[in-house]
Amino acid sequence: MGKVFDYIRKELENGALHMTLIDPDKQTPEEAGRIAAESASFGTSAIMVGGSTGVGLEITDRTVEEIRAGVGIPVISFPSSAGGLSPRFDAVYFLSMLNSRNPRHITGEQAYGAVLVKEFGIEPIGMGYIVVEPGMKVAEVGEADVVGRKDLRRAAAYALAAEYFGMKVVYLEAGSGAHLPVPPDMIRGVRRAISIPLIVGGGITDPESAVAAVRSGADVIVTGTVVERNGGLSRLKKIVSAVKAAGTGAA
Ligand code: 1GP
């Protein structure tokens, strides 16, 4: 088992975690470094780097360098294609968009990516990635057949398929900037279906919805967009504290 996944599992023994997502296209590398350092000081457990639109390798590399200079926590690639990989990452969420209509996003990019992951020597963490309504940009780019907000069975079925494939984690994604996060009852249904860690993100912008997700069974809460708003960092601080205080276990 890889070092980063081991670290995640260990951290999870103490309750739910928060991870901070940074899109290299949305700020300068220096600013990204500052956001990462602040996030780490609040108690975020890892920095994820990625964006839905093709992020350039140079900007990704510079962003990861700046982040690494300021934090001791893992820096994990969250790629939208094989092009998002870089040897500077500690690990990569090696994800398959299970509900894409296009095999390119299920296994195609992954075949290119696998070769790079090996060459770069970064740790792959196999992930079943499920895009839930509204799905936003990632649904569009990934040609997702989005899971409807009420379609709890379909979400749980994809998640169980991920576990049976041997994937290490499941990610329920409402899409970056979604006006509504993944519904708590969907999180609850997926939690009941699987025994691997459940990551939830997209549209979580306040401590209340983060806590609702944790109480419904999310192991890891991911936020990205929230720091882009006015007062975003203080909001992020509240979210991270709330996630850590909420602990684990479905309500
Ligand atoms: C996107 O789930 C993440 O992949 C985070 O979404 O930007 O809405 O926090 P937000």
Side-chain angles (χ1 to χ4, degrees):
M1 203 167 291
K3 261 168 59 181
V4 176
F5 187 61
D6 261 354
Y7 157 84
I8 294 170
R9 291 239 298 214
K10 253 207 176 70
E11 289 276 295
L12 281 174
E13 286 170 11
N14 303 317
L17 307 181
H18 176 275
M19 294 187 186
T20 300
L21 174 66
I22 295 179
D23 181 342
D25 262 349
K26 290 197 174 156
Q27 65 286 293
T28 62
E30 293 72 25
E31 179 69 4
R34 200 174 66 81
I35 293 169
E38 292 271 10
S39 306
S41 77
F42 301 154
T44 202
S45 295
I47 306 294
M48 293 162 52
V49 177
S52 302
T53 41
V55 183
L57 186 57
E58 201 195 316
I59 188 83
T60 300
D61 274 349
R62 286 185 44 224
T63 300
V64 176
E65 261 170 35
E66 288 290 337
I67 293 171
R68 292 188 78 111
V71 302
I73 53 178
V75 185
I76 306 173
S77 170
F78 185 51
S80 57
S81 70
L85 294 166
S86 147
R88 288 176 171 77
F89 285 108
D90 296 302
V92 53
Y93 282 134
F94 198 80
L95 64 93
S96 173
M97 188 188 286
L98 299 176
N99 60 323
S100 176
R101 288 194 173 92
N102 186 340
R104 183 184 147 208
H105 304 291
I106 307 170
T107 54
E109 284 294 326
Q110 292 76 356
Y112 291 113
V115 177
L116 292 175
V117 167
K118 184 155 194 176
E119 189 183 313
F120 295 161
I122 49 183
E123 175 186 339
I125 300 174
M127 168 187 278
Y129 188 61
I130 303 162
V131 182
V132 177
E133 190 186 353
M136 313 302 284
K137 189 83 189 165
V138 74
E140 197 184 300
V141 174
E143 297 164 72
D145 179 11
V146 289
V147 175
R149 293 176 59 79
K150 292 196 160 59
D151 202 346
L152 311 186
R153 289 168 69 117
R154 193 160 160 247
Y158 272 123
L160 188 58
E163 179 165 339
Y164 288 170
F165 269 130
M167 291 166 169
K168 295 217 169 68
V169 294
V170 164
Y171 193 123
L172 275 181
E173 169 74 273
S176 186
H179 58 286
L180 285 170
V182 175
D185 54 350
M186 181 177 282
I187 297 172
R188 207 169 288 125
V190 169
R191 172 74 286 156
R192 285 201 191 109
I194 61 170
S195 59
I196 54 177
L198 174 58
I199 306 179
V200 176
I204 297 173
T205 56
D206 54 55
E208 293 73 24
S209 47
V211 168
V214 172
R215 296 232 166 102
S216 304
D219 296 299
V220 180
I221 300 297
V222 177
T223 66
T225 309
V226 70
V227 290
E228 291 163 25
R229 299 183 176 180
N230 271 345
L233 278 171
S234 68
R235 203 174 251 254
L236 178 66
K237 185 177 184 180
K238 290 188 187 127
I239 293 174
V240 179
S241 313
V243 166
K244 304 208 95 161
T248 47

